[in-house]
Amino acid sequence: MRKLGVGVLGVGEMGKRHAENLRSLVPEARLVAVADASTERARQVAAELEIEHSYSSLDAMLECKDLDAVLIATPDKFHAQAVGIAARAGKDILCEKPLALNLADAHAALRAVSRAGRRLQIGFMRRYDPAYRAAMKRVEAGEIGVPVIFKSVGRDKDAPPLAAYQANVNGMVFYNNTIHDFDLARWLVRDEITEVHAYTTVAIRPEVAQYGDVVASVVNLQYQQGAIGNVESYVQAAYGYDVRTEIVGSKGSILVGSLRQTAATFLTAGGGVQTLADHFLTRFADAYLAEVRDFVQNILNDRPVRVTGEDGLKALGIAVAAENSHVQGKPARVTVGRSSASA
Amino acid sequence: MRKLGVGVLGVGEMGKRHAENLRSLVPEARLVAVADASTERARQVAAELEIEHSYSSLDAMLECKDLDAVLIATPDKFHAQAVGIAARAGKDILCEKPLALNLADAHAALRAVSRAGRRLQIGFMRRYDPAYRAAMKRVEAGEIGVPVIFKSVGRDKDAPPLAAYQANVNGMVFYNNTIHDFDLARWLVRDEITEVHAYTTVAIRPEVAQYGDVVASVVNLQYQQGAIGNVESYVQAAYGYDVRTEIVGSKGSILVGSLRQTAATFLTAGGGVQTLADHFLTRFADAYLAEVRDFVQNILNDRPVRVTGEDGLKALGIAVAAENSHVQGKPARVTVGRSSASA
Amino acid sequence: MRKLGVGVLGVGEMGKRHAENLRSLVPEARLVAVADASTERARQVAAELEIEHSYSSLDAMLECKDLDAVLIATPDKFHAQAVGIAARAGKDILCEKPLALNLADAHAALRAVSRAGRRLQIGFMRRYDPAYRAAMKRVEAGEIGVPVIFKSVGRDKDAPPLAAYQANVNGMVFYNNTIHDFDLARWLVRDEITEVHAYTTVAIRPEVAQYGDVVASVVNLQYQQGAIGNVESYVQAAYGYDVRTEIVGSKGSILVGSLRQTAATFLTAGGGVQTLADHFLTRFADAYLAEVRDFVQNILNDRPVRVTGEDGLKALGIAVAAENSHVQGKPARVTVGRSSASA
Amino acid sequence: MRKLGVGVLGVGEMGKRHAENLRSLVPEARLVAVADASTERARQVAAELEIEHSYSSLDAMLECKDLDAVLIATPDKFHAQAVGIAARAGKDILCEKPLALNLADAHAALRAVSRAGRRLQIGFMRRYDPAYRAAMKRVEAGEIGVPVIFKSVGRDKDAPPLAAYQANVNGMVFYNNTIHDFDLARWLVRDEITEVHAYTTVAIRPEVAQYGDVVASVVNLQYQQGAIGNVESYVQAAYGYDVRTEIVGSKGSILVGSLRQTAATFLTAGGGVQTLADHFLTRFADAYLAEVRDFVQNILNDRPVRVTGEDGLKALGIAVAAENSHVQGKPARVTVGRSSASA
């Protein structure tokens, strides 16, 4: 069996998970190298996963001769540039969300991919989650009728430390968290969002304001064909990691999401208690694996990827509009700027 | 035991329930009369409940000598005027929501109540629901910390027939449905809303547009002290009656609402199936009873009512702002107009 | 409208609830009297419910001339005798479970009812609970196919105080609690139980052993047509009142029961917490009302009652067999003794 | 890193899963060989997992020189003998449940292990499930107080085909299914079962009776220190795979188990629908992995295994007693025969 040689760029929490999946759980792939700005971290992950090559930069890794594809899991700020470099080196790419932190960078990255004739997939892994897939199947089968309302909630348990804000390598909440919901909003409703309105708050952590970020947001959505929606994000939900989505249609409705971490309930005089989900790597473990495996299989078989660069661009356009609304205090139109060259 | 003599104005579905509760389940009250624009309906309900007096107007009912208080459950359009008449006749009042369909009428009604020195309670019955009360208790005890986000969903199963729109006696969805969530938004967060932004849709029932109404809406909320929120309304959820509320704080979160109608689950090869709630009179049966009983007891004991005319006015102010936002396509400030004379 | 005049014998917690329902919530009934061995208690309940007559014995109450029917809610020991007296006085009867504490008394009671040509209903109120009724409807519609297994759990929150054991007016757990499950076992499976096997424990409260009682039991059931089952009882479940039933068939299964008391969930770092049900008068409030109303309507309309004396006898037969198995340490055949004269 | 060389004997559905886990997901192990009575199946699995060696018998596989341990996943009938052979060859062993189909074989197997000075773990994987582990942690922390009642339900979706009965290589339901619950009954209550009573039924599939099997059973349990319990098994639950356990104590109770397969709920006019779990390899995927990894780590580090041969023997003793009760129609004492030589 031919295997796809993959290198992982960025082996923090997320990149390491991708590397582990590629190393052990995707029979069609061979993890050939990891790279990280921290040479030490790259070396350590390589040792742990028992692979030969570790590098301290993408450029260095691209020299590795068995490399067919690159998985990009750096801080968000470096995504677009890395996509461009990898594409120009002739590699296929799976890039973590967001594709970029602004539309110009996104367009540049997509152009590079397009010119190189490579494939680019964006890491919207929720599309691979069994519950979301089951929901989409019902939508496609017409079981909910015409979509009327889209709702999504995304709450993280632990807000980023202030140091992360100071490092300034990730975008604000809309780029980093809500972008998952923006992608679902397009995907599940099968329509485009034309305008958004955002309220935000820094109430319980005013010190993030100076970095342009917020702790919570609610974003109203208007769709092209008449549906409406709202997505909420909160980066420090004390109780756990909580992702829930609803798509409400003329004939029925689908709820995706559950608060339970395990199937155990404890009953005492104080009430019935359930352990709550607390981390995206746990909640979406299956999705991350299915995502990377699907990417590998599609590249190997010369099939289109399932979550395209265009999807990355369009979700980014919604995030940009949400930020504009937040800054300007009024609704903002969604646009992706000049006509994009799709991946 | 002295009993409060109560007359019910308007004995449609809602008013009849109030009459039944007063007749049988509130030992401190005596249902002395019912009135309805339909003489026939008034007579029939009086016969069913075995009470002596039925009338075809409020004015007529006010002649009835044992009447201490009036419960108003007419179509929405007539609420404010009826409040004024009953107040001037020296009666205490429990008025269904909304207090009025515009701020001027609301102020006039409150002034009448104030001048007459009577008490006015607004029918936000959810505040009496055991689950909402339990939530509020935790909020008051500080268990969720500082409120950050308020969310609420209100979905009705059966949209009003077109005839109801043509009769033009009720307000659009914000006045008729969402106003419950606007009240909860103030009550549970214990703060005022300063601005709102609404998207609406008539997508699956365009014919309601000519009556100024919509089938679904999402309304973003901004609070005075920094919290944010969103409330969604949908008047024809095929699957049932669905009211769910979340209040998310710095230390914890509370969810109110459940989809189940009964405690039975049916398991087959097609999945696990539960019967869903389908009507507000079922879901909030306990709340309606607790509401009217609390009103009666407070009036009898000369205590302030728990949900004041001021509460009715402020929720109305939010509904007016939501309609403004809907019409103008931009955020709208919340105001109650001239300084109100509280009930 | 003709109303059924009803007197309630025994106005402790249970009887008082029946009296309240009859007084206010059953339009077809008139509560004409209450009686209780405690004259004081009878007088107080009569005052509270604003009825004229209170008595200190059934014999005295039977003199009351507007009495058509008697509801018996005394301690269990007095049920059978009270049924006999009321029947001989020509009254129709709704008797709380169990019909009697032994088969001879049960037969005597049924004979009296039969000779007097009156009607007797036994207070298995679960049959009137919306969830159990919904389950039965599916069973009758053949939706679960052939019944294979019946399971039921009945847990009380607060065990009886030792004084109750000393008073010796109620039977052991099988007669007082499990009898509900024995009745459901017959009703939902629509078959008779032929043999049972019981294990019991006094582990955490050994002092009840001297009164012949236990704190928990598991009873295996064998049905005539091949199904099997198990019912568990526990009289001091620290966490709440918990009644759950399953009927498992060849095509599907039905679960009845839910642990939640309200529709509120509290989410904190310690987990998701729900308030649990804690009392049968709360959990089965609707069922108690539907039960007494159905009795009244059937008597008024000269229709058979829905839960017959025969049902009371047969459930008692199972309880007797369970006690025999408990005492003898081996399976026991179920019998109701001499052929019974059905009510 | 030194790795444990493991060979898997029997690569049907279960053994193949173990082989996959060992091949990819247990970094401390090396899957060196598979063996199966079907040479073809062994060869195919070896090819799929890209390992060199496949054999048609345990004896042949034992020749393979890198083999440190053997995982036995043959039909039940061959477990005990395979344990003996592997032990005498000096291998450590992870053996699927049940250890044997009778006590003599079990003792022989344990003696062989003991004499060889090897380690034996029994495949009661539920002990490794996150929910069961969380439950056990609470039990050990004393959070439920004194255990009073143990309950467990185990339902399979698809009953074995008749051919499986004819092949006669597995034991009846108590050995094949209920033995998991018998193990949990000992483990969670931390006490031994002294006596059992079983009712069984073949009602909806009478043709299995000739093979000595049943389609459903309820087994009452009596514990040494006073607790009681019941376990139910059903081999053809039309609706899915359903494993639920309760341990009820003096201070609280724990429920393990959930009916949901995914986190999606579909709401329509017909009710709320959830997809149900349908297979043990899905429900217990995490547990199977954790089990084999724990075995490997303990062997490598010369630590005792967590689920011992003694545990296998004692669960078997309960199954034997359950069969005796089923055959004799009366309670049966639990015994493991002659004093066992623990593994």
Side-chain angles (χ1 to χ4, degrees):
Chain A
M1 183 172 67
R2 202 197 127 210
K3 295 200 175 197
L4 190 77
V6 186
V8 173
L9 177 68
V11 283
E13 192 176 39
M14 184 73 256
K16 194 181 165 199
R17 168 63 66 91
H18 285 305
E20 290 165 351
N21 281 342
L22 286 163
R23 175 70 178 90
S24 303
L25 296 171
V26 182
E28 304 86 350
R30 196 152 49 84
L31 178 67
V32 295
V34 297
D36 199 289
S38 155
T39 317
E40 182 45 32
R41 183 155 59 185
R43 197 177 296 140
Q44 201 182 316
V45 170
E48 231 179 87
L49 299 181
E50 301 181 317
I51 61 167
E52 215 174 317
H53 306 295
S54 72
Y55 301 94
S56 59
S57 73
L58 174 55
D59 287 325
M61 184 165 69
L62 288 169
E63 300 297 317
C64 184
K65 78 174 178 9
D66 296 326
L67 203 70
D68 302 308
V70 174
L71 191 160
I72 299 170
T74 62
D76 300 354
K77 192 184 187 172
F78 309 116
H79 287 180
Q81 195 187 8
V83 168
I85 294 171
R88 282 186 290 271
K91 307 306 176 194
D92 292 301
I93 302 160
L94 172 48
C95 180
E96 268 299 324
K97 37 56 57 179
L99 166 55
L101 291 179
N102 62 63
L103 291 167
D105 286 359
H107 282 291
L110 294 190
R111 265 195 313 272
V113 171
S114 172
R115 283 175 188 165
R118 307 318 309 170
R119 291 202 163 80
L120 167 64
Q121 176 164 337
I122 305 300
F124 292 127
M125 85 294 176
R126 291 189 197 169
R127 295 197 190 189
Y128 290 92
D129 174 67
Y132 280 102
R133 282 162 69 182
M136 188 53 170
K137 248 179 157 167
R138 289 193 186 267
V139 170
E140 288 175 334
E143 295 187 41
I144 64 157
V146 179
V148 178
I149 308 163
F150 173 85
K151 301 282 285 291
S152 204
V153 165
R155 299 186 192 144
D156 281 325
K157 189 178 172 64
D158 301 303
L162 272 188
Y165 288 106
Q166 287 150 358
N168 190 27
V169 291
N170 289 312
M172 70 176 295
V173 68
F174 296 134
Y175 301 91
N176 203 16
N177 307 44
T178 327
I179 201 156
H180 281 297
D181 305 284
F182 292 147
D183 179 61
L184 291 177
R186 295 181 60 242
W187 184 61
L188 281 168
V189 177
R190 300 188 293 173
D191 191 11
E192 297 299 336
I193 288 161
T194 55
E195 195 188 280
V196 301
H197 172 271
Y199 283 140
T200 62
T201 184
V202 294
I204 58 171
R205 205 185 187 195
E207 59 273 33
V208 303
Q210 62 185 302
Y211 304 104
D213 210 346
V214 301
V215 297
S217 60
V218 284
V219 183
N220 267 344
L221 310 176
Q222 189 162 73
Y223 283 87
Q224 202 165 289
Q225 293 170 43
I228 55 177
N230 184 271
V231 296
E232 175 224 308
S233 302
Y234 181 33
V235 300
Q236 55 188 79
Y239 65 88
Y241 177 71
D242 187 0
V243 169
R244 280 173 284 146
T245 300
E246 289 191 64
I247 173 160
V248 184
S250 58
K251 284 166 53 184
S253 183
I254 306 170
L255 275 75
V256 176
S258 157
L259 294 160
R260 307 183 66 164
Q261 171 88 302
T262 72
T265 302
F266 182 44
L267 308 173
T268 63
V273 183
Q274 300 182 327
T275 306
L276 302 174
D278 63 359
H279 202 282
F280 61 95
L281 287 180
T282 313
R283 166 66 183 86
F284 287 109
D286 291 345
Y288 282 115
L289 175 56
E291 170 190 64
V292 76
R293 189 166 186 187
D294 184 56
F295 168 76
V296 166
Q297 289 176 335
N298 285 331
I299 298 301
L300 275 179
N301 294 292
D302 205 25
R303 293 186 302 233
V305 296
R306 212 176 291 264
V307 191
T308 66
E310 188 74 18
D311 290 323
L313 178 69
K314 291 204 165 153
L316 178 63
I318 307 171
V320 168
E323 185 175 16
N324 287 342
S325 175
H326 154 64
V327 169
Q328 299 162 11
K330 58 181 188 189
R333 301 295 298 172
V334 175
T335 169
V336 293
R338 80 206 94 162
S339 84
S340 74
S342 150
Chain B
M1 184 173 67
R2 197 197 131 211
K3 295 200 177 198
L4 191 76
V6 186
V8 174
L9 177 68
V11 284
E13 193 176 37
M14 184 72 256
K16 195 182 166 199
R17 169 63 65 90
H18 284 305
E20 289 164 352
N21 282 341
L22 286 163
R23 174 70 178 90
S24 302
L25 296 171
V26 181
E28 303 86 351
R30 197 152 50 85
L31 178 67
V32 296
V34 295
D36 199 287
S38 156
T39 317
E40 182 43 35
R41 182 156 58 188
R43 197 177 296 140
Q44 201 182 318
V45 170
E48 232 180 89
L49 300 181
E50 302 180 315
I51 61 167
E52 215 174 318
H53 305 295
S54 72
Y55 302 93
S56 59
S57 74
L58 173 55
D59 287 325
M61 184 165 71
L62 287 169
E63 300 298 314
C64 182
K65 78 175 180 6
D66 296 325
L67 202 71
D68 301 308
V70 174
L71 192 158
I72 299 169
T74 62
D76 299 355
K77 191 183 187 171
F78 309 116
H79 286 180
Q81 194 188 9
V83 168
I85 293 170
R88 281 187 291 272
K91 308 305 175 192
D92 291 301
I93 302 160
L94 172 48
C95 181
E96 267 300 323
K97 39 54 61 179
L99 168 56
L101 291 180
N102 62 65
L103 290 167
D105 286 358
H107 281 291
L110 295 190
R111 264 197 312 274
V113 171
S114 172
R115 282 176 188 163
R118 307 318 309 170
R119 291 202 162 82
L120 168 63
Q121 175 164 339
I122 305 299
F124 292 128
M125 85 294 178
R126 292 189 196 169
R127 296 197 188 190
Y128 289 93
D129 174 68
Y132 280 101
R133 282 162 70 182
M136 188 52 170
K137 248 179 157 168
R138 289 193 186 269
V139 170
E140 288 175 334
E143 294 186 44
I144 65 158
V146 178
V148 177
I149 307 164
F150 173 85
K151 300 284 284 291
S152 203
V153 165
R155 300 186 191 142
D156 280 326
K157 189 177 172 65
D158 301 303
L162 272 188
Y165 288 107
Q166 287 151 359
N168 191 28
V169 290
N170 290 311
M172 71 176 295
V173 69
F174 297 135
Y175 301 91
N176 202 16
N177 306 44
T178 327
I179 202 157
H180 280 299
D181 305 282
F182 292 145
D183 179 62
L184 291 177
R186 296 180 59 242
W187 183 60
L188 281 167
V189 178
R190 299 188 293 173
D191 192 11
E192 298 298 336
I193 288 161
T194 54
E195 196 187 279
V196 301
H197 171 270
Y199 282 141
T200 61
T201 184
V202 294
I204 58 171
R205 205 185 188 195
E207 59 271 35
V208 304
Q210 61 185 302
Y211 304 104
D213 210 346
V214 301
V215 298
S217 59
V218 285
V219 183
N220 268 343
L221 310 175
Q222 189 162 72
Y223 284 87
Q224 202 164 292
Q225 293 171 43
I228 55 178
N230 184 270
V231 296
E232 176 224 306
S233 303
Y234 181 33
V235 301
Q236 55 187 79
Y239 64 88
Y241 176 70
D242 187 359
V243 170
R244 280 173 284 146
T245 300
E246 289 191 63
I247 173 161
V248 185
S250 56
K251 285 165 54 182
S253 183
I254 306 170
L255 275 75
V256 176
S258 158
L259 293 159
R260 308 184 64 166
Q261 170 88 301
T262 71
T265 302
F266 182 43
L267 308 173
T268 63
V273 183
Q274 300 181 327
T275 306
L276 301 174
D278 63 357
H279 202 283
F280 61 95
L281 287 179
T282 313
R283 166 65 182 89
F284 287 109
D286 291 345
Y288 282 115
L289 175 57
E291 171 189 65
V292 74
R293 189 165 186 187
D294 185 56
F295 168 75
V296 166
Q297 289 176 335
N298 285 331
I299 297 302
L300 274 181
N301 294 292
D302 205 25
R303 292 185 305 233
V305 296
R306 213 176 291 265
V307 190
T308 65
E310 189 74 18
D311 290 322
L313 178 69
K314 291 205 165 154
L316 178 63
I318 306 171
V320 168
E323 184 175 17
N324 288 342
S325 175
H326 154 65
V327 169
Q328 298 162 11
K330 57 181 189 187
R333 302 296 296 173
V334 175
T335 168
V336 293
R338 80 205 96 160
S339 84
S340 75
S342 152
Chain C
M1 185 173 69
R2 199 196 130 211
K3 295 199 175 198
L4 191 76
V6 186
V8 174
L9 176 69
V11 284
E13 193 176 38
M14 185 71 256
K16 194 182 167 198
R17 169 61 66 91
H18 285 305
E20 289 164 352
N21 282 341
L22 286 164
R23 174 72 178 88
S24 302
L25 296 172
V26 182
E28 302 86 351
R30 197 153 49 85
L31 177 67
V32 295
V34 296
D36 199 287
S38 155
T39 317
E40 182 43 34
R41 181 154 60 187
R43 197 176 296 140
Q44 200 180 318
V45 170
E48 231 179 90
L49 299 181
E50 302 180 315
I51 61 168
E52 215 174 320
H53 306 294
S54 72
Y55 302 93
S56 59
S57 74
L58 173 55
D59 287 325
M61 183 165 71
L62 287 169
E63 301 297 317
C64 183
K65 79 175 178 9
D66 297 324
L67 203 70
D68 301 307
V70 174
L71 192 159
I72 299 170
T74 62
D76 299 355
K77 191 183 187 172
F78 309 117
H79 286 179
Q81 194 188 10
V83 168
I85 294 171
R88 282 187 291 271
K91 308 305 175 191
D92 292 300
I93 302 160
L94 172 48
C95 180
E96 267 300 324
K97 38 56 57 178
L99 167 56
L101 292 179
N102 62 64
L103 290 166
D105 287 357
H107 282 290
L110 294 189
R111 264 196 314 272
V113 171
S114 171
R115 283 174 188 164
R118 307 319 309 169
R119 291 202 162 81
L120 167 64
Q121 176 164 339
I122 305 299
F124 292 127
M125 84 295 177
R126 291 189 197 170
R127 296 197 189 190
Y128 289 93
D129 175 67
Y132 280 101
R133 282 162 70 181
M136 188 53 169
K137 247 179 158 167
R138 289 194 186 269
V139 170
E140 287 175 334
E143 295 186 43
I144 66 159
V146 179
V148 178
I149 308 163
F150 172 86
K151 301 282 284 292
S152 202
V153 165
R155 300 185 191 144
D156 282 325
K157 189 176 171 66
D158 301 304
L162 272 188
Y165 288 107
Q166 287 151 359
N168 191 29
V169 290
N170 290 312
M172 70 175 296
V173 68
F174 296 135
Y175 300 91
N176 203 18
N177 306 45
T178 326
I179 202 157
H180 281 298
D181 305 282
F182 292 146
D183 179 61
L184 291 176
R186 296 181 59 242
W187 183 61
L188 281 167
V189 178
R190 300 188 292 173
D191 191 12
E192 299 298 335
I193 289 161
T194 54
E195 195 187 281
V196 302
H197 172 271
Y199 283 141
T200 61
T201 184
V202 295
I204 58 171
R205 204 184 188 195
E207 60 271 35
V208 303
Q210 62 185 302
Y211 304 105
D213 210 346
V214 301
V215 297
S217 59
V218 285
V219 183
N220 267 344
L221 309 176
Q222 189 162 73
Y223 283 87
Q224 201 164 294
Q225 293 171 42
I228 55 177
N230 185 269
V231 297
E232 176 224 308
S233 304
Y234 181 32
V235 300
Q236 56 188 80
Y239 64 88
Y241 177 70
D242 187 359
V243 169
R244 280 174 284 146
T245 300
E246 289 191 65
I247 172 159
V248 184
S250 57
K251 284 166 53 183
S253 183
I254 306 170
L255 275 74
V256 175
S258 158
L259 293 159
R260 307 184 65 165
Q261 170 87 303
T262 71
T265 303
F266 182 44
L267 308 173
T268 62
V273 183
Q274 301 182 326
T275 306
L276 301 174
D278 63 358
H279 201 283
F280 61 94
L281 288 179
T282 312
R283 167 66 183 88
F284 287 109
D286 291 345
Y288 282 116
L289 175 56
E291 170 190 66
V292 75
R293 189 165 186 188
D294 184 57
F295 168 75
V296 166
Q297 290 176 335
N298 285 331
I299 297 302
L300 275 180
N301 295 293
D302 205 25
R303 292 186 304 233
V305 297
R306 213 176 289 265
V307 191
T308 65
E310 189 75 19
D311 290 322
L313 177 70
K314 291 203 166 153
L316 177 64
I318 307 171
V320 168
E323 184 174 17
N324 287 342
S325 175
H326 153 66
V327 169
Q328 299 163 11
K330 58 181 188 188
R333 301 296 297 174
V334 175
T335 169
V336 294
R338 82 205 91 164
S339 84
S340 74
S342 152
Chain D
M1 184 172 68
R2 199 196 129 212
K3 296 198 174 198
L4 190 76
V6 186
V8 173
L9 176 68
V11 284
E13 191 176 41
M14 184 72 256
K16 196 183 165 197
R17 168 62 66 90
H18 285 306
E20 290 165 351
N21 282 342
L22 286 163
R23 175 69 179 91
S24 302
L25 296 171
V26 182
E28 302 87 349
R30 198 153 48 85
L31 177 67
V32 296
V34 297
D36 198 288
S38 155
T39 317
E40 182 45 34
R41 181 155 60 186
R43 197 176 297 140
Q44 200 182 317
V45 170
E48 232 179 89
L49 299 181
E50 301 181 316
I51 62 168
E52 215 174 318
H53 305 296
S54 72
Y55 302 93
S56 58
S57 73
L58 174 55
D59 287 324
M61 183 165 70
L62 287 170
E63 300 298 313
C64 183
K65 79 175 179 7
D66 296 325
L67 203 71
D68 301 309
V70 174
L71 191 159
I72 299 169
T74 62
D76 299 355
K77 191 183 186 173
F78 309 115
H79 286 181
Q81 194 188 9
V83 168
I85 293 170
R88 283 187 289 271
K91 307 306 176 193
D92 292 302
I93 301 160
L94 171 48
C95 181
E96 267 300 323
K97 38 55 60 178
L99 168 55
L101 290 180
N102 62 64
L103 290 167
D105 286 357
H107 281 292
L110 294 190
R111 266 197 312 272
V113 172
S114 172
R115 282 175 187 163
R118 306 320 308 171
R119 292 202 162 80
L120 168 64
Q121 176 165 338
I122 305 300
F124 292 127
M125 84 294 175
R126 291 188 196 170
R127 296 197 190 190
Y128 289 93
D129 173 68
Y132 280 102
R133 282 162 70 182
M136 188 52 170
K137 247 180 158 168
R138 289 195 186 267
V139 170
E140 288 175 335
E143 295 186 43
I144 64 158
V146 179
V148 178
I149 308 164
F150 173 87
K151 301 283 284 292
S152 203
V153 166
R155 299 185 192 144
D156 281 325
K157 188 176 172 65
D158 302 304
L162 271 188
Y165 288 107
Q166 287 150 358
N168 190 28
V169 290
N170 290 312
M172 69 176 297
V173 69
F174 296 135
Y175 301 91
N176 203 17
N177 307 45
T178 326
I179 201 156
H180 281 297
D181 305 283
F182 293 146
D183 179 61
L184 291 177
R186 295 181 59 242
W187 183 61
L188 281 167
V189 177
R190 300 188 293 174
D191 191 12
E192 298 298 336
I193 288 160
T194 55
E195 195 187 280
V196 302
H197 171 271
Y199 283 140
T200 61
T201 185
V202 294
I204 57 170
R205 204 185 188 195
E207 59 272 34
V208 304
Q210 62 186 301
Y211 304 103
D213 210 345
V214 300
V215 297
S217 60
V218 286
V219 183
N220 268 344
L221 310 176
Q222 189 162 73
Y223 284 87
Q224 201 164 293
Q225 293 170 43
I228 56 178
N230 184 270
V231 297
E232 176 224 309
S233 303
Y234 181 33
V235 300
Q236 55 188 80
Y239 65 88
Y241 177 70
D242 186 359
V243 170
R244 281 173 283 146
T245 300
E246 289 191 64
I247 173 161
V248 184
S250 57
K251 284 166 53 183
S253 183
I254 306 171
L255 274 76
V256 175
S258 157
L259 293 160
R260 307 183 64 165
Q261 170 89 301
T262 72
T265 302
F266 182 43
L267 308 173
T268 62
V273 182
Q274 300 183 328
T275 306
L276 301 174
D278 62 358
H279 202 283
F280 62 95
L281 287 179
T282 313
R283 167 66 184 88
F284 287 108
D286 291 345
Y288 283 115
L289 175 56
E291 170 190 66
V292 75
R293 189 166 186 186
D294 184 57
F295 169 75
V296 167
Q297 289 176 337
N298 285 331
I299 298 301
L300 274 180
N301 294 293
D302 206 25
R303 291 186 304 234
V305 297
R306 212 175 290 265
V307 190
T308 66
E310 188 75 17
D311 290 322
L313 177 69
K314 292 205 165 151
L316 178 63
I318 306 171
V320 168
E323 185 176 14
N324 288 341
S325 174
H326 153 65
V327 170
Q328 299 161 10
K330 58 181 189 187
R333 302 295 299 172
V334 175
T335 168
V336 293
R338 78 206 93 163
S339 83
S340 74
S342 149

